[in-house]
Amino acid sequence: MKSHLQPFMQYLTEDKGLSSSTLESYGRDISQFLEFAAGRGIASPEEIRRTHLLQYLAELRGAGRAAATVNRSTVSLRAFFHYLLKTRQISQDPTLEMDKIKPSKKPPMILSIGEVERLLAAPDETGPQGMRDKAMLELLYATGIRVSELISLDVGDVQTGLKYARCSSASGKERIIPIGTIAADSVARYTDGMRDKLLRSSREEPALFLNSLGGRLTRQGFWKIIKKYAREADIAQDITPHTLRHSFAAHLLEGGADLRSVQQMLGHADISTTQVYSGIARKNMKEVYESHHPRA
């Protein structure tokens, strides 16, 4: 049956214009399936039925292949049999109505409250960059905003006296989020005494958080900053700029906040996106109960 593979690969190359890596994946996936089919005495693609394909995919899953790998193989097989049907080498397509499997999602990384406190205490507040970093970390944990939203903030977007922050998502939807006293004080100390030391006198810059050249801090710049303080705070987890957002949501729910309010603060369009944190909070509550209740 491998005689059918080369014309298919030529078809992909000439008609579809796929990249070399994609072509390699298609070739490998189809070749492995054809070996599987040959091992079961199947001599022609016309003999292949949907049950053969399902058995093959089940073997991949049984061998511990990731859901993404199994899904990629499904896509490759669909393309192959669609080609065979199109070129009239088979009379029916056995891949019809084959469903993709849903890849399992890793739970979001959550810091403990103690780890958050160590991270927020790491910046040296005596200099402008350290005070800026302190204000950014406090604001992220106080609001749960995305890093893209954090670096997009302008000076007037955080009202430290009224204790609220105004941010806009990538889609342009604006939301108002309350902030606590500690975060408000950190931002106020940065804007009152330290921001001007980062701002170059020759330029006007509306951005709240500035880099060493006086311009708006970038996402890559913040990534380096949070990695640095994670090391200094002796946090073993490989945290990302999104970690404080995840921790904000989980800690609020642990403390009894309702799911709908957390959804609004995070700016999630669908509450099911927020519910993942609810599961983490319930797990943590169970651990607290079992650790502290005298009859647990």
Side-chain angles (χ1 to χ4, degrees):
M1 283 196 299
K2 286 201 171 182
S3 61
H4 296 276
L5 180 56
Q6 188 55 42
F8 171 64
M9 297 303 296
Q10 187 173 351
Y11 160 75
L12 291 180
T13 304
E14 295 176 355
D15 289 27
K16 299 297 183 181
L18 301 179
S19 68
S20 58
S21 60
T22 303
L23 288 170
E24 183 180 342
S25 296
Y26 271 94
R28 183 171 58 250
D29 293 338
I30 302 303
S31 181
Q32 288 174 354
F33 171 74
L34 294 178
E35 288 177 7
F36 164 88
R40 280 151 181 77
I42 298 172
S44 166
E46 184 65 39
E47 300 174 34
I48 293 171
R49 299 291 179 263
R50 185 168 177 265
T51 53
H52 299 131
L53 296 167
L54 294 177
Q55 288 171 5
Y56 173 68
L57 296 175
E59 280 202 6
L60 292 182
R61 291 193 290 271
R65 301 292 179 87
T69 301
V70 179
N71 283 335
R72 192 201 65 214
S73 295
T74 304
V75 171
S76 300
L77 291 169
R78 278 181 174 148
F80 179 58
F81 284 100
H82 179 74
Y83 162 78
L84 293 179
L85 184 66
K86 181 180 178 180
T87 55
R88 299 184 179 181
Q89 298 180 65
I90 57 175
S91 58
Q92 59 182 356
D93 184 350
T95 67
L96 292 177
E97 299 181 3
M98 280 178 55
D99 296 327
K100 286 185 178 182
I101 62 171
K102 291 184 178 180
S104 57
K105 291 185 178 180
K106 291 183 179 180
M109 184 185 298
I110 306 297
L111 297 178
S112 68
I113 293 176
E115 287 173 326
V116 170
E117 289 176 347
R118 295 204 309 272
L119 181 68
L120 299 184
D124 179 4
E125 301 174 48
T126 59
Q129 291 186 354
M131 192 65 247
R132 174 204 63 195
D133 299 346
K134 170 74 170 176
M136 287 193 299
L137 294 174
E138 289 284 1
L139 192 59
L140 265 189
Y141 183 59
T143 61
I145 62 176
R146 302 172 181 88
V147 175
S148 57
E149 295 168 340
L150 176 80
I151 62 175
S152 296
L153 291 173
D154 290 334
V155 173
D157 290 332
V158 180
Q159 297 296 319
T160 56
L162 299 174
K163 295 188 176 65
Y164 77 81
R166 178 181 63 240
C167 72
S168 297
S169 65
S171 63
K173 188 174 181 180
E174 185 179 276
R175 66 188 190 279
I176 305 294
I177 309 168
I179 60 176
T181 300
I182 296 175
D185 288 349
S186 293
V187 175
R189 283 186 286 128
Y190 164 67
T191 54
D192 290 347
M194 297 294 189
R195 181 179 176 276
D196 285 348
K197 295 181 180 180
L198 294 173
L199 184 65
R200 298 294 179 94
S201 58
S202 60
R203 63 184 297 174
E204 293 183 6
E205 176 56 66
L208 175 59
F209 296 114
L210 307 175
N211 58 30
S212 58
L213 299 176
R216 188 181 295 274
L217 190 72
T218 64
R219 184 184 181 88
Q220 292 77 14
F222 183 80
W223 182 287
K224 294 177 182 178
I225 287 168
I226 197 168
K227 291 286 188 181
K228 168 192 171 187
Y229 291 122
R231 290 193 300 270
E232 292 181 6
D234 197 26
I235 295 174
Q237 300 185 72
D238 185 21
I239 71 173
T240 72
H242 229 50
T243 302
L244 282 177
R245 175 174 166 87
H246 297 322
S247 303
F248 160 85
H251 294 169
L252 272 180
L253 290 168
E254 276 183 53
D258 67 280
L259 196 62
R260 185 69 65 182
S261 296
V262 175
Q263 176 198 4
Q264 292 172 349
M265 284 185 274
L266 291 173
H268 286 159
D270 191 335
I271 199 167
S272 63
T273 309
T274 318
Q275 284 173 332
V276 64
Y277 301 112
S278 182
I280 294 170
R282 283 196 297 271
K283 180 182 177 183
N284 290 343
M285 287 178 187
K286 184 174 184 293
E287 291 172 353
V288 170
Y289 176 85
E290 291 176 346
S291 298
H292 300 287
H293 194 283
R295 298 250 180 208

